Amino acid sequence: MKPLIVANWKCNPQTLKGAKLLFNSIKRGMKKIRNVEVVICPPFVYLLTSDKRQATKIKLGGQNCFWKGKGPFTGEVSPKQLLNFGCKYVILGHSERRIYFDETDEMINKKIKAAISVKLNPIFCIGETKEEREKGQTQSILKSQIEKGLKKVSKKEIEKITIAYEPAWAIGTGKPCDTEEAQKMSLLIRKMMARKYSLSIAKKLRMIYGGSVNSKNARDYIKEADFQGLLIGGASLDPKEFIKIVKTISA
Ligand code: PEP
């Protein structure tokens, strides 16, 4: 399985010109990259800027979607709309959505099921806050996010899902989870998945790490902490740094 590198542009950049510049710079840097799967998740309004991505094999993803297919849901985007726009992935359960938009595990579960039903691959984000970690609740929080977020997701469906371990305290803070701790967390999540599904499913599961990744620490999560990819926020807005990260993974 190729490592998966996902760029989460969040609510950036502010202009179409800026989005095109960023996309094209990354596209140029990806020309000779073969052994890494690169996905860009721009704001919905810029999904079209990437319509010439075929030559570079960059894939597209949404940063969120709604659980209903269509209808009177002002401001929402359906999984099918993302799929029909050329997206292969959708980020769901990102901690910023849990925190700022009060997304619950139940809502995330509905979104995951809706995405899978149209063959859009969810990148399911889980992770504890600083406060939860300090109170020693990390394990119970992850367990609850997995149990509720993946409620009634079958063994067959789970193959479509990538789990992103993203401790909220590491996101955008410049304080990444150290490799040793990240390794413990990947083992813990795999054990939970083995208990919920099966050992072979847990072994095959693609898990990625996110939280203040840069070109200096990126490789460690893959080589030393049993992650099969990365979710990158801030550093994905700097094309030179992002390309450097992809190149360190592909080397
Ligand atoms: C993210 O937004 O998922 C993320 C990991 O952000 P950053 O890389 O900026 O910490």
Side-chain angles (χ1 to χ4, degrees), residues 218-233:
R219 208 171 140 84
D220 298 345
Y221 295 106
I222 316 271
K223 299 290 167 200
E224 290 168 32
D226 193 25
F227 285 96
Q228 292 73 48
L230 301 163
L231 181 43
I232 300 170

Side-chain angles (χ1 to χ4, degrees), residues 8 10 94 96 166 170-172 210-213 231-234:
N8 177 13
K10 312 191 190 199
H94 192 281
E96 285 157 12
E166 292 214 304
I171 296 181
S212 297
V213 172
L231 181 43
I232 300 170

Side-chain angles (χ1 to χ4, degrees), residues 3-5 25-38 213-216 218-219 222-223 230 232 238-251:
L4 176 71
I5 310 288
S25 307
I26 294 175
K27 190 169 94 166
R28 276 194 298 277
M30 294 301 113
K31 268 194 181 136
K32 289 186 185 143
I33 304 290
R34 296 275 172 274
N35 49 354
V36 178
E37 186 177 356
V38 177
V213 172
N214 56 45
S215 57
K216 292 195 177 74
R219 208 171 140 84
I222 316 271
K223 299 290 167 200
L230 301 163
I232 300 170
D238 173 348
K240 275 195 189 146
E241 177 69 353
F242 184 72
I243 292 163
K244 223 171 164 182
I245 292 173
V246 176
K247 285 187 173 163
T248 59
I249 302 304
S250 79

Side-chain angles (χ1 to χ4, degrees), residues 25-56:
S25 307
I26 294 175
K27 190 169 94 166
R28 276 194 298 277
M30 294 301 113
K31 268 194 181 136
K32 289 186 185 143
I33 304 290
R34 296 275 172 274
N35 49 354
V36 178
E37 186 177 356
V38 177
V39 181
I40 294 184
C41 302
F44 296 138
V45 288
Y46 300 142
L47 278 169
L48 258 188
T49 56
S50 8
D51 59 353
K52 292 199 181 71
R53 68 190 183 280
Q54 288 85 348
T56 58

